[in-house]
Amino acid sequence: MLGKGIIKGLAETARNFFGSFVSERRLTTVPYPDARQPLAENTRQFPFLVYDGDDWEQGLRCVACQICEKECPPQCIYIVKSKDKKPDYKGQMQFYPAVFDIDLAVCMSCQICVEVCPFESIKMDTEFELSTADRFGGLLFHKKQLAKPNAHYHRIHPTDAAASDAVLAAEKAKQEAKARAAAEAKAKAAAPAPVAPPPSAS
Amino acid sequence: MSIAAATNGKRHRLVPPPSPADGALGELLEISMGPQHPSTHGVFRMNLVLDGERVVKLKPVFGYLHRNHEKIAESMSYLGSMPYTDRLDYFCSLTNNWAYALAVEKLAGLQVPERAEYIRVITAELTRLQNHACLGGFLLQDMGASGTPLMYAFREREKILDLFEALTGARMMCNYMRFGGCRCDLPPGWREQAQRLVAEFPAFLDEFEALLNENEILMARTQGVGVLPASLAVNASISGPMLRASGVNYDIRKVDRYGIYDRFDFQVPLGEHGDVYDRYMVRILEMRESLKILRAALADLPEGPIMDPKARLRGFRPKPGEAYGRIEAPKGELGFYLISEGGPHPYRYRVRPPSFINLTILEDMCLGQLVADVVIILGSVDIVLGEVDR
């Protein structure tokens, strides 16, 4: 019968329409600003800089090695290396970024800066409501806006943050062991050399 | 399973078939359709010459979305091009990743661990599911079924994108595969979630087929429209579901058996008539085959590493040589051709995009058809302008 297929299709639509009042499966949307879907743990939006401790400037992990600046595909990162040095988490003197800007209007959230960073210092944030009325520089984020505490990183990506802390702790332990070994060697060198046995009289 | 079996062999012909131009042309009208026309799926233009409602000549014009992808890639590290491949065919970023990774792996001689191969197959087949579901929706939208089928398809697509987000961090621009493996392992619970989706997906397919397959309007609009004969399809190097709808049994998953596709048992659905309806049905049937692959892959996903230990992220310089990696992307054969001179950048980087090459045949399919049919013929080609223009 002509039209049977159409009626069959309309019955399917009707089932969906009335089903949306009773079935969770057919009601799939969320009224956004009032209700939100939970974000997946891996979600990535834009990068931020991790700092340890309380002082964002002192605790910044970034050592301005500029690898991310070189590797960034759309080249949205701009770094100026400092002239002086500050101690990092291991107590080693390191350069720090005097300027660290990310143009979020250019950034394409590819996460390559995170992957190439050898210092666990740049990570992806999950904040996505960043729209601004200032179109000149409103999305150009400076060091201060980008710096976020390690606790924030632990809150948004707990698994990754724990792994990254473990990497840093291992580095630090390695450094301390090396320092201890160096100190022992130094102490050994400074101590008077053991007295050579007297030549046996013959 | 053949299309005739899936639809009980029903074929309707409500409108008379288009007659070939009989030589006695009336006054010709030249119109430009696009680039802002809603039916052109992006910024694509067709210069049409019409005799009344019949198409006498068609010239596709593209390049509005050209953004120099290949040239940019030649001045960028191999890794740096990976996120740009997401933006070629933005519906299927994971298959684009795979094709590019395959080419670089051939170039650098990297071995992908088994677990990573399984994850690649799973993500690629999920990509195929969502692409074909949306294609069905868009095609129906072009025919005037405004919204409903497309929204049903998007509802399912959202679930797949949720899986992608949990795995890769992004819904569309996944940037997930790396040379020699995958970027990160599956998060806990992902596999079960994917299995649940695969178990629920046939219900959606049944619903979608009940909604549309036997719809008389759909049949009248699509059957016998935009016929592409098999010989022409082969000569024009058409690939993917469009080629198979013309009855040519050619699927790179079966021909090349790249990755681990030789381990899965699946069939290649073929069309008989090469018209728009067969192209639509081939995709519907392909989704069922994809589900078979997904079920098997999710069931025997092995444990193990996901990266080749030889793979390097920074300072990656493959030895001089050339490589061509190709896969069966949802739209057809997607290939990446790379020449390395041993430096950090490829010397030559070329994409063989399926929808660009499938589009070259558009005029031959549209001659003698009505203007309204041009829209659905274009829809059945399944183009994404990000890939056509690159």
Side-chain angles (χ1 to χ4, degrees), chain B residues 348-373:
Chain B
R348 181 75 177 98
Y349 174 104
R350 156 86 186 148
V351 189
R352 187 244 188 249
S355 51
F356 171 64
I357 293 178
N358 290 356
L359 196 55
T360 54
I361 205 73
L362 189 63
E363 183 176 13
D364 297 77
M365 289 192 289
C366 291
L367 287 185
Q369 306 281 347
L370 303 173
V371 184
D373 292 338

Side-chain angles (χ1 to χ4, degrees), chain B residues 228 238-246 279 283 358 361 365 381:
Chain B
L228 177 63
I238 303 300
S239 56
M242 223 177 128
L243 178 67
R244 294 193 285 276
S246 298
R279 271 172 235 147
R283 287 175 171 116
N358 290 356
I361 205 73
M365 289 192 289
V381 178

Side-chain angles (χ1 to χ4, degrees), chain A residues 1-17 25-28 37-45 65 67 70-75 106-112 114-119 159-160, chain B residues 10 12 14 76-77 79-84 86-87 148 152 155-156 158-159 162 165-171 173-176 178 183-185 187 200 203-204 206-212 214-217 313-315:
Chain A
M1 187 192 85
L2 194 63
K4 202 173 136 209
I6 296 175
I7 291 166
K8 211 169 144 191
L10 286 176
E12 201 59 55
T13 315
R15 201 173 308 141
N16 265 287
F17 174 68
R25 194 175 74 80
R26 297 191 196 276
L27 191 65
T28 46
Q37 276 184 325
L39 292 169
E41 195 192 319
N42 273 345
T43 304
R44 58 183 148 95
Q45 296 298 338
C65 68
I67 289 175
K70 280 194 208 91
E71 291 281 343
C72 174
Q75 304 187 347
V106 176
C107 175
M108 60 180 186
S109 318
C110 66
Q111 209 179 23
I112 281 181
V114 177
E115 283 171 62
V116 298
C117 179
F119 300 98
T159 322
D160 289 355
Chain B
K10 278 191 191 163
H12 286 257
L14 297 184
M76 190 171 291
S77 69
L79 176 64
S81 299
M82 186 60 95
Y84 284 119
D86 291 337
R87 286 144 177 89
T148 308
Y152 287 2
R155 187 182 62 199
E156 298 308 308
E158 281 303 301
K159 294 177 192 163
D162 282 344
E165 190 185 8
L167 175 61
T168 70
R171 299 174 77 79
M173 303 298 143
C174 297
N175 183 21
Y176 177 61
R178 291 287 174 268
R183 182 161 57 77
C184 53
D185 209 340
E200 283 170 6
F204 158 72
D206 293 342
E207 184 182 284
F208 204 71
E209 292 197 47
L211 182 67
L212 296 165
E214 291 175 33
N215 188 312
E216 286 81 3
I217 302 174
L313 210 53
R314 275 178 281 149

